């Protein structure tokens, strides 16, 4: 049997992304381990078990070790890690939240990350996203689950200048969203 | 496009939401004793008032949480939204309907 190599769903778009100017830069984030955490009550016990204070304010995220902890709902979070394998992260988080009545599920294969950097990325995002992305209200630490070009995404603000965002999109929508982003960025690219 | 204020996420476009029908329809006290007709009334029959109506909505493209809203069926205006564990609106706040499912 042929060996099955893991390929990134946006491999075919890498050259198109490289050609973009710095004002609308798009880079594909490497695979990271992600775990969906369900937990009813957040407190000191949960923080000690997970090593991170899960954000309780809606539409926020906090750094968690090498990864992030993203608020997805009043009892739901997305934890990611760049240093652990999906199995390690799931096992560690599950061991932490199980005694507290919570659950942890590996969802690493569900979403991939795109990093959008540059002075005009906010204009690109605004073409297909209805929420206010001005850094005054969507500064670093803000997140939003919404639709971007009709695809469901999680937006994470990385800077207070509004020029650095991470878009988490479902793998099966990644190609569509990549095409959509390239089209939306077209007016900010120079043709020569 | 109309904005709907999700009790968790704040105002979002209405395409992010999914309608869940009438709110506060009580589950039968004695499910085993219901006739087929009474079951049909519980499962399918809903009020259809003109005016303020308590409804269930789901923020399906966002936090995926259910919440309730009082919406005016004549104007489509959302009067207010409230969480599932908030008290249900008083009868005086809602429009009267010929049929009254939610006691």
């Amino acid at each position: 049997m042929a060996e099955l190599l893991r390929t990134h769903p946006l491999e075919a778009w890498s050259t198109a992304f490289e050609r973009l100017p710095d004002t609308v830069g798009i880079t594909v984030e490497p695979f990271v381990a992600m775990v969906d955490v369900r937990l009813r009550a957040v407190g000191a016990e949960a923080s000690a078990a997970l090593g991170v204070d899960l954000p309780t304010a809606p539409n926020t995220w906090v750094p968690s070790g090498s990864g992030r902890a993203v608020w997805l709902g009043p009892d739901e979070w997305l934890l990611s890690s760049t240093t652990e394998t999906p199995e390690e992260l799931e096992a560690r988080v599950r061991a932490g939240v199980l005694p507290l009545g919570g659950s942890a599920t590996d969802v690493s294969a569900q979403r991939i990350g795109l990093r959008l950097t540059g002075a005009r990325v906010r204009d690109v995002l605004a073409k297909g996203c209805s929420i206010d992305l001005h850094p005054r209200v969507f500064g670093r630490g803000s997140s939003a689950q919404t639709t971007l070009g009709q695809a469901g995404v999680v937006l994470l603000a990385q800077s207070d200048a509004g020029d650095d965002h991470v878009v988490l999109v479902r793998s099966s929508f990644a190609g569509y969203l990549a095409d959509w982003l390239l089209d939306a960025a077209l007016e900010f690219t120079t043709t020569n | 496009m109309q904005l709907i204020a999700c009790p968790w996420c704040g105002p979002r476009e209405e395409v992010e939401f999914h309608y869940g029908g009438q709110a506060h329809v009580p589950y039968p006290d004695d499910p085993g004793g219901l006739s087929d007709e009474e079951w049909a009334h519980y499962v399918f029959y809903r009020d259809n008032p003109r005016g303020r109506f308590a409804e269930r909505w789901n923020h399906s493209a966002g936090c995926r949480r259910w919440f309730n809203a009082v919406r005016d069926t004549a104007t489509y205006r959302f009067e207010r939204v409230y969480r599932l564990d908030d008290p249900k609106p008083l009868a005086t706040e809602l429009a009267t309907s010929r049929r009254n499912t939610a006691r």
Side-chain angles (χ1 to χ4, degrees):
Chain A
M1 203 169 84
E3 193 185 350
L4 294 173
L5 294 171
R6 191 175 187 190
T7 55
H8 198 284
L10 292 184
E11 222 164 56
W13 280 263
S14 53
T15 45
F17 287 156
E18 278 164 23
R19 260 180 278 171
L20 288 169
D22 288 343
T23 49
V24 284
I26 301 176
T27 44
V28 178
E29 292 211 316
F31 283 119
V32 292
M34 294 192 213
V35 159
D36 187 274
V37 180
R38 302 298 299 261
L39 192 61
R40 191 162 292 169
V42 185
E45 278 181 325
S47 300
L50 297 175
V52 59
D53 292 331
L54 292 174
T56 51
N59 303 327
T60 55
W61 69 274
V62 296
S64 159
S66 63
R68 307 182 186 102
V70 185
W71 182 94
L72 292 184
D75 58 354
E76 187 176 9
W77 291 267
L78 184 71
L79 292 187
S80 63
S81 168
T82 54
T83 50
E84 289 163 289
T85 66
E87 294 79 8
E88 287 167 357
L89 180 65
E90 185 188 35
R92 177 175 69 84
V93 175
R94 180 175 289 164
V97 296
L98 213 54
L100 306 173
S103 71
T105 312
D106 175 29
V107 292
S108 306
Q110 187 188 4
R111 297 184 181 92
I112 62 154
L114 288 171
R115 187 144 191 170
L116 277 60
T117 50
R120 306 311 296 268
V121 287
R122 202 149 55 82
D123 301 305
V124 172
L125 290 173
K127 290 189 183 189
C129 179
S130 61
I131 66 165
D132 189 356
L133 296 174
H134 194 281
R136 194 172 52 226
V137 290
F138 201 73
R140 181 176 164 80
S142 302
S143 76
Q145 299 170 84
T146 184
T147 52
L148 175 61
Q150 299 171 28
V153 297
V154 183
L155 282 179
L156 307 171
Q158 301 284 320
S159 84
D160 280 325
D163 57 358
D164 193 352
H165 293 91
V166 166
V167 177
L168 300 177
V169 62
R170 294 195 167 79
S171 303
S172 52
F173 281 88
Y176 160 77
L177 192 72
D179 280 336
W180 185 90
L181 284 169
L182 287 171
D183 182 57
L186 198 61
E187 74 167 285
F188 306 111
T189 59
T190 48
T191 50
N192 42 12
Chain B
M1 190 180 291
Q2 160 144 294
L3 297 178
I4 298 175
C6 168
W8 299 105
C9 301
R12 297 291 181 88
E13 284 195 339
E14 62 176 306
V15 289
E16 292 191 10
F17 295 86
H18 192 88
Y19 183 61
Q22 182 176 3
H24 311 300
V25 176
Y27 190 74
D29 295 328
D30 177 24
L34 256 57
S35 67
D36 285 355
E37 190 185 340
E38 286 167 328
W39 267 118
H41 276 266
Y42 166 66
V43 175
F44 300 113
Y45 283 52
R46 294 294 180 262
D47 300 352
N48 186 23
R50 178 188 163 86
R52 288 189 296 275
F53 189 37
E55 299 170 332
R56 296 183 303 175
W57 285 81
N58 182 273
H59 190 192
S60 46
C63 61
R64 300 178 303 287
R65 291 314 183 279
W66 286 97
F67 60 93
N68 294 329
V70 176
R71 182 180 68 98
D72 193 311
T73 56
T75 62
Y76 213 98
R77 179 192 295 274
F78 278 75
E79 304 288 349
R80 66 184 182 98
V81 295
Y82 54 103
R83 291 176 186 173
L84 296 181
D85 50 359
D86 289 336
K88 62 181 184 180
L90 301 170
T92 50
E93 191 187 334
L94 303 174
T96 50
S97 168
R98 239 183 335 173
R99 205 195 133 67
N100 198 355
T101 307
R103 286 169 289 183

